[in-house]
């Protein structure tokens, strides 16, 4: 896996490149994204570990996909991505989220949640959809007042442009993969 510092350096470079390519100052991007100028400066210096939600806000303000901001090099016709290049974007005792691959605006993620853990997500940009397949355990999804238990082997479709939460239920850990695609763009 790619180290956290390598991921932060990659994000710093891409953010600076994308912002400058659009002729935006940090202040202008801050106004567009709702992320403070100080936070943007720290991200561009690779001196902070921003949340997934913060990075998603920045990517949306730049008009690019999350994977384009966080991911590696541009996609070739075909490219093998070894596990050491997966970008761990979120990792705590509660679980982890790794960006495995991205292309265009689609992203492939591997998620793990410890038994009893919960992850509260901020809304993605309008029109974003997640396709999820549970590999291990039972994933509980909370969205729009609905609670949906998804056992291993099952899949689901989620309109993720609203607040939602993932939970690991059933006394064991949960592992799932998801494809994120902002289909509304």
């Amino acid at each position: 896996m790619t180290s956290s510092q390598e991921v932060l350096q990659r994000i710093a470079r891409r953010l600076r490149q994308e912002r400058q390519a659009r002729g935006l100052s940090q202040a202008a991007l801050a106004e567009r994204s709702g992320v403070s100028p100080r936070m943007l400066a720290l991200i561009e210096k690779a001196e902070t570990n921003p949340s997934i939600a913060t990075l998603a806000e920045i990517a949306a303000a730049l008009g690019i996909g999350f994977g384009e901001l966080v991911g590696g090099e541009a996609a070739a016709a075909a490219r093998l991505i070894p596990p050491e290049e997966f970008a761990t974007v979120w990792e705590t005792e509660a679980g982890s989220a790794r960006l495995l691959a991205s292309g265009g605006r689609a992203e492939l993620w591997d998620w793990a949640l410890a038994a009893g853990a919960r992850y509260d997500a901020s809304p993605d940009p309008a029109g974003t959809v997640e396709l999820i397949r549970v590999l291990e355990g039972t994933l509980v999804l909370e969205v729009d007042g609905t609670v949906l238990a998804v056992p291993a082997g099952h899949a689901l479709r989620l309109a993720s442009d609203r607040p939602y939460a993932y939970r690991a239920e059933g006394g064991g850990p949960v592992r799932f993969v998801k494809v994120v695609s902002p289909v509304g763009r």
Side-chain angles (χ1 to χ4, degrees):
M1 277 186 283
T2 302
S3 77
S4 294
Q5 191 55 42
E6 288 172 322
V7 172
L8 293 177
Q9 291 289 338
R10 182 185 320 151
I11 293 168
R13 278 190 307 275
R14 291 287 297 164
L15 172 55
R16 192 170 25 264
Q17 288 169 351
E18 295 293 335
R19 180 181 60 76
Q20 290 173 345
R22 287 159 181 74
L24 295 171
S25 66
Q26 286 179 344
L29 181 56
E31 188 172 318
R32 258 191 202 187
S33 67
V35 175
S36 75
R38 175 160 170 66
M39 175 60 81
L40 287 171
L42 290 172
I43 295 169
E44 282 194 15
K45 293 178 188 173
E47 293 179 358
T48 189
N49 189 2
S51 70
I52 293 172
T54 297
L55 293 173
E57 290 167 352
I58 294 168
L62 290 168
I64 61 174
F66 183 92
E68 292 174 86
L69 181 60
V70 175
E73 59 192 70
R79 179 178 175 267
L80 177 67
I81 304 169
E84 57 272 8
E85 289 186 24
F86 299 165
T88 301
V89 179
W90 172 72
E91 188 168 41
T92 69
E93 301 79 37
S96 64
R98 296 183 307 157
L99 180 61
L100 306 179
S102 64
R105 296 199 182 270
E107 304 156 5
L108 176 62
W109 290 83
D110 179 55
W111 275 72
L113 293 175
R118 176 185 177 96
Y119 181 85
D120 291 295
S122 298
D124 291 324
T128 302
V129 171
E130 294 185 6
L131 305 173
I132 298 171
R133 176 142 195 266
V134 179
L135 303 174
E136 175 185 337
T138 299
L139 173 67
V140 174
L141 174 72
E142 298 173 9
V143 62
D144 288 342
T146 300
V147 177
L148 191 62
V150 187
H154 288 72
L156 69 99
R157 179 186 182 280
L158 164 67
S160 60
D161 55 1
R162 63 209 70 211
Y164 60 97
Y166 301 131
R167 283 190 290 136
E169 192 168 274
V174 170
R175 186 158 164 257
F176 60 97
V177 293
K178 69 179 188 174
V179 173
V180 180
S181 178
V183 296
R185 289 188 189 174

